[in-house]
Amino acid sequence: MFQMCVLLLALLLLLLGSEAAPQGDEVVYLPGLGKQAAFKQYSGYLTVAKNKHLHYWFVESQLNPAKDPVVLWLNGGPGCSSLDGMLTEHGPFLIQDDGVSLEYNPYSWNKISNMLYLESPAGVGFSYSDDKNYVTNDTEVSMNNYLALKQFFKLFPEYSKNQLFLTGESYAGIYIPTLAERVMEDPALNLQGIAVGNGMASYELNDNSLVYFAYYHGLLGNQLWAQLQTFCCSKGKCDFYNNHNVNCSNNLEEVQTIVYGSGLNMYNLYAPCPGGVGQRLGMDGGSLVLRDLGNSFTRHPSTQRLNQKLRGVASLFKNVRLDPPCTNSTPSTLYLNNAYVRAALHISPAALPWVICSSEVNLNYGRLYVEVSKQYLKLLGAMQYRVLVYNGDVDMACNFMGDEWFVESLQQKVEVQRRTWTYQDKEGLQVGGFVKEFSNLAFLTVKGSGHMVPTDKPAAAYTVFSRFLLRQPF
């Protein structure tokens, strides 16, 4: 009898050990929800490079967590928090305008997948470093994100055999392929593919296409367009990225003023600007407020002068905020800085107050990759990974045309010519945009959506995500 009890106890301990999910990280009660979630969720820290602690929020699939894929999500910036994607785009709960309440999202991506939201790099959101040094670069970030993934599967070994997908938007156009390059070399990680929304894939193609986008969307007059053609173009080819002609630079400065400084919503041309028209530099209650992530026209003298000015002015202020233009982060900021929410999410006392983007990370960030075609070609060359590039077609931050040019430049074999794709909403079958499919690669537009596709077109975004994940035709 005694031996039987010992055997049963050993078996029980083995079973408990195999669960392995860190009980201390489980979110047992989340403030703001009328009814607590039926699925499990965890929030805590993944420690990398000895002194960096990256905050994660993991929500299990509502369908079949044991078998459904694990999907990593990264927001961009550089320096912006992935909890913005969690609470305003495709997480299971969406923050309401009161900054207190959460509502369930009918188009949550965790309906069919286990979602891992990672705040990266250290200094972003609730992630922090013991030495408070937040100077970093593309290579260090990709390595730390890889180490964070390894740490995650060490904490959650029950998911280590599940399919793994890496996804993100905006500057994650750099984060995701550079991370995938590391992950694909690790047989312990079951990588299946990557998906990037409105991503930065090439500074040159993004800048060159943006000028065309602006003209053909009615933002630039015929006189300015004629001058751009005269001073920036030669033999039918235009260089709006790295052109040393003084007249071209002057014209491009005017383009930048129209696109970024006239009050248009750069993330969705046809949407209003929350908070009203603002400047790239402002003041708010003693804090310096920056509204420029520094991703466009980086080679132009006016941009370099502006960035130098921003760094100089920022160094004079104790409090510096980075608020992307025409975005309302107040509800998320109120919610995530509530003491009860921080306690529920097991946020370290060493973490700074949550802000949507870190000015310190952004202003000190080393952009080492001007384009990522090598990483995409390496993934595609393996002939085993699915790759999706999708774009809202009225975004000006990372416009659809530049990403389409980038995908075309990879020169992959065309499987399905460009055509419309459809999805179902409450009005019936709708055209969602256009798609062109290559071998293991697809480029897709989402009609009428801006930079944050799941926010603007949640049903369409969920359709795209599910078809990509489940290997269904678009």
Side-chain angles (χ1 to χ4, degrees), residues 84-369:
D84 185 51
M86 166 85 169
L87 292 177
T88 70
E89 295 190 64
H90 46 61
F93 336 104
L94 298 178
I95 187 68
Q96 302 302 292
D97 289 342
D98 61 8
V100 174
S101 310
L102 299 174
E103 294 292 337
Y104 282 95
N105 179 8
Y107 301 107
S108 173
W109 287 9
N110 91 315
K111 285 184 175 293
I112 56 170
S113 64
N114 302 290
M115 294 295 302
L116 172 61
Y117 296 89
L118 182 67
E119 295 196 283
S120 172
V124 171
F126 291 132
S127 297
Y128 67 98
S129 176
D130 291 341
D131 60 9
K132 296 180 171 54
N133 177 8
Y134 298 120
V135 178
T136 189
N137 59 54
D138 290 331
T139 300
E140 184 178 33
V141 167
S142 71
M143 174 55 80
N144 286 337
N145 287 341
Y146 166 72
L147 294 174
L149 269 180
K150 295 292 285 184
Q151 182 67 15
F152 171 80
F153 285 114
K154 188 175 178 181
L155 290 178
F156 295 84
E158 64 271 33
Y159 290 106
S160 60
K161 301 302 180 186
N162 294 47
Q163 292 187 340
L164 172 65
F165 290 88
L166 310 178
T167 66
E169 76 186 10
S170 195
Y171 198 80
I174 304 293
Y175 291 160
I176 293 299
T178 54
L179 171 60
E181 188 177 23
R182 296 184 188 277
V183 173
M184 68 182 289
E185 300 294 339
D186 187 341
L189 297 173
N190 188 17
L191 181 65
Q192 296 295 308
I194 69 169
V196 175
N198 290 75
M200 175 62 76
S202 162
Y203 287 93
E204 180 176 3
L205 295 179
N206 194 54
D207 285 359
N208 281 337
S209 58
L210 177 57
V211 181
Y212 285 100
F213 180 100
Y215 176 64
Y216 288 111
H217 281 80
L219 308 189
L220 315 180
N222 285 332
Q223 183 179 349
L224 176 55
W225 181 247
Q227 291 173 333
L228 287 163
Q229 296 292 299
T230 300
F231 298 120
C232 304
C233 307
S234 176
K235 298 177 182 177
K237 184 174 174 58
C238 299
D239 180 7
F240 304 123
Y241 169 66
N242 192 26
N243 199 311
H244 300 289
N245 182 299
V246 175
N247 291 316
C248 175
S249 292
N250 291 336
N251 293 143
L252 287 170
E253 194 166 345
E254 192 173 342
V255 172
Q256 291 181 70
T257 300
I258 293 167
V259 172
Y260 300 123
S262 62
L264 295 168
N265 187 334
M266 65 179 283
Y267 294 119
N268 186 327
L269 175 58
Y270 299 132
C273 184
V277 176
Q279 299 298 316
R280 288 183 170 186
L281 197 62
M283 293 293 299
D284 180 16
S287 293
L288 178 71
V289 183
L290 310 179
R291 292 190 176 88
D292 191 316
L293 294 170
N295 290 326
S296 299
F297 298 108
T298 54
R299 295 290 182 94
H300 290 281
S302 62
T303 306
Q304 292 172 349
R305 286 195 300 272
L306 175 66
N307 289 341
Q308 192 171 3
K309 177 187 174 184
L310 291 178
R311 289 188 185 93
V313 173
S315 67
L316 302 176
F317 285 81
K318 184 179 180 181
N319 296 318
V320 183
R321 287 207 327 260
L322 178 58
D323 291 345
C326 298
T327 57
N328 178 16
S329 62
T330 301
S332 297
T333 305
L334 287 172
Y335 181 77
L336 291 168
N337 286 314
N338 181 294
Y340 294 105
V341 174
R342 286 177 65 114
L345 297 178
H346 317 116
I347 302 306
S348 168
L352 293 170
W354 189 90
V355 291
I356 187 171
C357 299
S358 164
S359 59
E360 186 173 2
V361 170
N362 180 273
L363 291 173
N364 295 292
Y365 192 88
R367 302 162 190 266
L368 304 181
Y369 294 95

